[in-house]
Amino acid sequence: MRGVSTVLDVAVFLLLVSAAVATVTLPASPAPETDVGSVAGTLGTATTDVAYPLSVAVAFENGTETTISTNRRANGTVANLLADAALSSARLGPPEGNTGAAGYRRAVANRTRALLRWFEADIQVEARWRPYVGAPLSGTLTVGPAPPRSDRMVATLDVPAPVAPVEASATRAAAGGYESVATVVANATVRGLYPPRRMELAIHAGGLARGLAIRRYRRLLDGLETDVSRSLSTGAVDEVNRALAAALADVFATDMRGRFDTPAAAAAAVRAGRVRIVVRGWDA
């Protein structure tokens, strides 16, 4: 049974979902507060359970294709779900183009919106991940109306990302130039978003898990000039990840060279290991 369980774990890990939501367990606290610090604290401690259907088109070797659907559940703090939802659509390009995992993102947004009604102020919550400040690769989720330009309060909360924190390695790599910093960040990004053994297991498992894994890869591949179709179809994940990391490093190096005055400045801007959640509040 462990083999079946592991495959299901992989499918859950991929978080390419759509959605309905259950209940939120709020922490004990006094009457609802309107300050954003209290909101951020609640996001980090309130837990919720999310039920959602999963569906993906799966292609077979004989050229036929079918859609496989199932149901899944996920649970955790609201902050962790926001972080997962932001990362689930990470891609190259403008954040507003992040359309991956739309159903899951909608479910998490709805649950967050319901929680925010517990407070009295107008509130916007934004979860954003970038491997470094201004990076062309990003994942984001915004819940709530746009705040005014003034008279607003701001609080932040950092949630660990599956990408390893490589700030120290990037700093050491700065002596080798922009390319060295970019390589450190790209390698960590690919390892975190596409864990080799989990992705390999998913692809070789076939069915739903394979479809989810390939769709996850294609979301990033769509923005890169590299062809890994053959390696991806055979499940040669190490080859796919090496090609992805090399192509992503080229993109990062070009961007860093135009964005930062020095490689050291680029290294100082690395934020790969965390998702930043920003809470903005204002009086109606």
Side-chain angles (χ1 to χ4, degrees):
M1 291 299 293
R2 179 56 193 161
V4 173
S5 176
T6 302
V7 170
L8 295 180
D9 290 346
V10 170
V12 171
F13 168 80
L14 294 175
L15 286 176
L16 298 174
V17 293
S18 66
V21 187
T23 58
V24 164
T25 302
L26 292 168
S29 74
E33 304 274 351
T34 58
D35 69 278
V36 290
S38 294
V39 178
T42 300
L43 293 175
T45 54
T47 58
T48 187
D49 181 73
V50 180
Y52 53 86
L54 250 170
S55 182
V56 66
V58 178
F60 297 98
E61 292 182 359
N62 63 6
T64 62
E65 185 176 287
T66 189
T67 298
I68 298 178
S69 301
T70 188
N71 295 306
R72 290 286 183 267
R73 301 189 73 88
N75 60 74
T77 66
V78 177
N80 281 331
L81 293 178
L82 284 165
D84 286 343
L87 280 162
S88 72
S89 62
R91 65 185 288 276
L92 287 163
E96 58 269 20
N98 289 356
T99 57
Y104 179 68
R105 290 158 56 81
R106 185 164 51 250
V108 173
N110 287 341
R111 175 44 56 206
T112 303
R113 199 173 290 112
L115 175 61
L116 295 181
R117 287 197 288 269
W118 194 62
F119 297 90
E120 295 175 356
D122 286 334
I123 298 168
Q124 181 196 69
V125 175
E126 179 186 43
R128 179 184 294 274
W129 173 82
R130 291 185 189 269
Y132 60 87
V133 175
L137 174 67
S138 68
T140 186
L141 177 67
T142 302
V143 181
R149 294 187 177 182
S150 60
D151 298 325
R152 62 184 181 183
M153 302 167 286
V154 179
T156 61
L157 173 68
D158 285 342
V159 178
V163 179
V166 290
E167 287 86 343
S169 298
T171 298
R172 290 191 296 270
Y178 292 104
E179 288 78 7
S180 296
V181 177
T183 296
V184 167
V185 178
N187 286 343
T189 296
V190 172
R191 281 197 306 271
L193 297 183
Y194 306 94
R197 300 290 73 82
R198 290 187 183 185
M199 300 304 286
E200 184 176 48
L201 176 61
I203 291 175
H204 286 296
L208 178 67
R210 177 184 175 88
L212 291 172
I214 291 176
R215 188 165 73 181
R216 188 180 182 95
Y217 270 120
R218 284 178 176 161
R219 191 169 59 244
L220 182 55
L221 284 167
D222 285 346
L224 295 171
E225 295 181 2
T226 186
D227 184 6
V228 294
S229 300
R230 189 176 188 84
S231 297
L232 192 57
S233 65
T234 60
V237 167
D238 288 338
E239 293 178 11
V240 174
N241 282 10
R242 278 195 299 271
L244 271 180
L248 198 56
D250 288 343
V251 171
F252 285 171
T254 299
D255 180 72
M256 288 177 176
R257 193 175 289 106
R259 188 178 299 276
F260 302 106
D261 292 336
T262 65
V270 172
R271 304 286 189 274
R274 61 184 185 266
V275 178
R276 170 63 56 90
I277 297 178
V278 181
V279 180
R280 302 178 180 93
W282 62 98
D283 292 328

